[in-house]
Amino acid sequence: MKYFSSECNRTKWCMMRPRGCHPDRDCTQGYMMSVVGNNQLKVEMFAQSLVPAVPLQYLAIGFSTDKIMGGDMVSECVVSETGVEGGEVFLSFNRGKSNDRVHFDDLEAEVVYSDIRSSVVNGRISCTFIQSIRPQLDSSHGGRIMDLDHEYYIFGATGSAQPDEVNPHDLNRDSFYFPLISEETVNPSLVGNTPFVHPDSSLTRITTRKQQQQSPSITSPRPPVAASSIILSLLTLLLPLTYFIF
């Protein structure tokens, strides 16, 4: 995958380390965003492969209302060491200093992410994908899915991963792999030359089978029973008993 620094601050928002580096030569980490279509945000990420190499490495971009980890939505791309298997993209949420994945069904995943591409070439790991700016889902999964047409600080991180979760990133501030944080807030929906088109409110949002199964059934209320009917029923029951006693 080739990246062009000339597009930064023109058609793309970019955050790289070190500042002013060339993304195809000497950058140790890089994160880029641009609106490419109706409700579509293209995310591009790359980093040096970890040393020593690990079976799975992730690249992640986070969207936060402040510069402190916690309460942040994260898109993470997990790529194998060889790059033979295609990378997988997951949505997760930072609860304090821990990270929890949001478990989508296949239909939800296709709505949120598309056109996923990854590679490992010459000791560099890369991943690009399209993310919905305002995902058309009925569920926000407990508020963990955030619309990207607001102002956010952008986080960028890389590290080792497991099949079902990512591991903590490097905590050494002098490391090439220490996370990046944007100096200012960014509205992802306003990045680039393509205008963000708000999803048509008339479109039907995706409802998963799980949600349908959990939806409460509506039972029609029974009509009120008249008092006279109750008295008549009691008399009908008492008459045979009275006849037997007397």
Side-chain angles (χ1 to χ4, degrees):
M1 298 180 186
K2 287 224 173 258
Y3 303 102
F4 302 96
S5 55
S6 61
E7 297 177 356
C8 294
N9 300 321
R10 295 177 58 249
T11 62
K12 297 179 180 180
W13 175 89
C14 303
M15 180 172 64
M16 300 182 188
R17 173 177 288 154
R19 184 176 298 180
C21 64
H22 191 288
D24 284 323
R25 290 198 295 265
D26 54 353
C27 292
T28 57
Q29 291 187 61
Y31 305 87
M32 294 167 280
M33 300 184 296
S34 58
V35 177
V36 295
N38 292 352
N39 201 31
Q40 294 181 324
L41 181 72
K42 185 175 183 179
V43 176
E44 303 172 86
M45 306 184 288
F46 63 86
Q48 289 184 348
S49 297
L50 295 175
V51 180
V54 294
L56 295 174
Q57 182 173 343
Y58 72 86
L59 292 161
I61 186 167
F63 304 90
S64 178
T65 56
D66 56 35
K67 291 186 174 183
I68 301 173
M69 181 177 176
D72 326 306
M73 185 180 75
V74 179
S75 291
E76 57 187 61
C77 181
V78 179
V79 182
S80 68
E81 176 187 5
T82 61
V84 175
E85 300 87 356
E88 293 185 89
V89 178
F90 304 94
L91 189 143
S92 59
F93 193 83
N94 289 336
R95 294 189 182 280
K97 301 301 181 183
S98 64
N99 176 270
D100 299 324
R101 276 189 185 163
V102 176
H103 296 287
F104 289 143
D105 63 22
D106 292 342
L107 189 57
E108 288 178 308
E110 291 175 2
V111 169
V112 179
Y113 297 115
S114 61
D115 197 18
I116 301 168
R117 303 181 186 186
S118 64
S119 66
V120 179
V121 179
N122 297 327
R124 287 166 59 90
I125 176 175
S126 303
C127 183
T128 71
F129 53 87
I130 302 296
Q131 181 166 352
S132 292
I133 296 173
R134 291 180 66 98
Q136 297 301 285
L137 300 175
D138 265 349
S139 171
S140 66
H141 286 266
R144 293 178 292 175
I145 302 178
M146 297 154 57
D147 293 334
L148 297 181
D149 55 347
H150 303 287
E151 295 282 332
Y152 296 105
Y153 288 100
I154 308 300
F155 295 176
T158 188
S160 63
Q162 302 177 47
D164 56 350
E165 63 181 354
V166 298
N167 296 322
H169 55 70
D170 198 324
L171 298 178
N172 179 5
R173 291 183 175 273
D174 297 325
S175 169
F176 290 146
Y177 305 112
F178 189 75
L180 281 69
I181 303 176
S182 64
E183 295 179 357
E184 300 177 346
T185 58
V186 179
N187 185 330
S189 70
L190 301 179
V191 174
N193 296 332
T194 303
F196 163 58
V197 178
H198 193 287
D200 189 343
S201 59
S202 65
L203 294 176
T204 303
R205 288 176 171 262
I206 299 299
T207 302
T208 65
R209 290 189 299 273
K210 182 178 180 181
Q211 289 173 305
Q212 292 172 343
Q213 292 170 357
Q214 292 177 344
S215 299
S217 57
I218 299 175
T219 305
S220 300
R222 295 182 180 179
V225 180
S228 57
S229 298
I230 298 175
I231 295 172
L232 182 59
S233 298
L234 289 173
L235 288 174
T236 304
L237 292 172
L238 290 172
L239 281 174
L241 183 58
T242 305
Y243 178 80
F244 180 78
I245 294 175
F246 291 94

